[in-house]
Amino acid sequence: MSQKRCLTIQDYSCLGRCSLTVALPTISAFGVETVGLPTAILSNHTAGFKNWTYVDLTSYMLDIVDHWKEYDHNFDAIYTGYLASEQVDIVLKIFNKLKETNTKIIVDPAFGDNGTLYKAFDLSHVEEIKKLIKEADITMPNLTEACFLTGTEYKKDYDENYIQELIYKLSLLGPKQICISGISFKEGIVGCYIYENNKFSYYSTPSYPGKYHGTGDIFASSVVGGILSNLTFYDACSLAHDLVHLSIYYSIKDKRTDLTQGVEFEKALSLIPQRIEHK
Ligand code: PXL
């Protein structure tokens, strides 16, 4: 099988292990060529740090892509992560320019957590991201993002009906494969709730206490790598969950659990070749 190629469009936050600094090594660990289109360069991510510096690359994004069109480079997947609102229409144009019949569009909404939006966003951003979700084959929001996208009240205590209803509403926006990560029905257990072909499944493990940053990006990147390695959606999501779980394990072991640090996903990447087969 020839090597797969993925384009991922998100920011490059130098410090703190998230977005491109996570996506490039994680998807590459699947043996997939990974092309990063940076949307901005930040000194660090916006969670846990007091402040950040920012170089906006919005006006360069289309130039870069137009340049590629001069060459014969096709993408098996286009995966979007954290974006600024004004970049959504540009990303839609990029889908138009680069999407071929077999290109999977994978959208991680990446705009909030713990019931609130990230500092850089307001509600209008949610409406912008909905435009991308409409084009997506696959989406993997966390609970907060799923609630904002579907206009559902965010709850900390919920049951399977609540999650299935959320997923049903998300499916009405367009995607056929949906996974909500970080779902817990029982203290001490966390998992991802998976939907495809009108079927729900839940994959879970014991959870670690505390909050960790960048895990959504590790999860989404690993799902992308898994899909491009011909894993089933369920297997891609369960591997992604295990990768996050192991990354947190190493962070706790090394006592590096501050929000600003992200998690030690580098040590966990060796899980990937154990779970995929190169054809
Ligand atoms: O992990 C999502 C993310 C990506 N990029 C930036 C962020 C965040 C979350 O806070 O601030 C810049």
Side-chain angles (χ1 to χ4, degrees), residues 50-224:
K50 284 201 197 85
N51 227 323
W52 58 90
T53 65
Y54 182 90
V55 179
D56 187 284
L57 299 176
T58 309
S59 60
Y60 297 95
M61 291 167 63
L62 277 174
D63 282 354
I64 293 171
V65 170
D66 283 338
H67 186 74
W68 297 337
K69 279 306 262 186
E70 294 174 25
Y71 306 93
D72 188 21
H73 279 73
N74 299 330
F75 294 99
D76 298 289
I78 305 177
Y79 151 43
T80 68
Y82 185 102
L83 297 168
S85 301
E86 53 283 8
Q87 290 167 341
V88 168
D89 284 339
I90 293 173
V91 171
L92 287 169
K93 284 191 185 137
I94 295 174
F95 287 172
N96 247 325
K97 286 173 187 280
L98 297 179
K99 191 172 159 27
E100 311 264 338
T101 331
N102 292 328
T103 309
K104 283 227 178 304
I105 302 290
I106 304 173
V107 174
D108 175 4
F111 57 64
D113 208 357
N114 306 310
T116 56
L117 299 173
Y118 293 140
K119 287 175 196 158
F121 301 133
D122 60 25
L123 285 176
S124 65
H125 186 69
V126 178
E127 293 309 310
E128 286 303 294
I129 294 294
K130 274 193 204 169
K131 294 190 205 165
L132 289 184
I133 303 259
K134 257 177 84 175
E135 302 301 318
D137 298 294
I138 302 176
T139 188
M140 52 291 229
N142 58 31
L143 185 59
T144 301
E145 292 157 349
C147 286
F148 274 107
L149 287 166
T150 57
T152 308
E153 185 197 351
Y154 173 81
K155 291 186 184 169
K156 283 193 167 150
D157 286 318
Y158 46 77
D159 57 14
E160 293 211 28
N161 281 342
Y162 172 81
I163 300 299
Q164 291 186 2
E165 181 79 5
L166 267 177
I167 291 182
Y168 172 70
K169 288 189 201 157
L170 284 168
S171 74
L172 296 181
L173 296 176
K176 298 254 178 309
Q177 292 175 311
I178 298 168
C179 177
I180 307 185
S181 56
I183 296 299
S184 173
F185 299 112
K186 205 166 135 205
E187 215 183 308
I189 302 285
V190 69
C192 52
Y193 214 88
I194 303 158
Y195 169 83
E196 70 177 324
N197 296 330
N198 290 318
K199 231 187 93 218
F200 293 101
S201 36
Y202 180 55
Y203 177 79
S204 64
T205 62
S207 58
Y208 292 111
K211 289 200 186 315
Y212 303 89
H213 189 258
T215 52
D217 300 343
I218 298 168
F219 186 90
S221 302
S222 181
V223 172
V224 172

Side-chain angles (χ1 to χ4, degrees), residues 11 13 18-19 42 44-47 82 110 118 213-214 217:
D11 66 283
S13 286
C18 69
S19 36
L42 286 86
N44 45 268
H45 62 69
T46 65
Y82 185 102
Y118 293 140
H213 189 258
D217 300 343

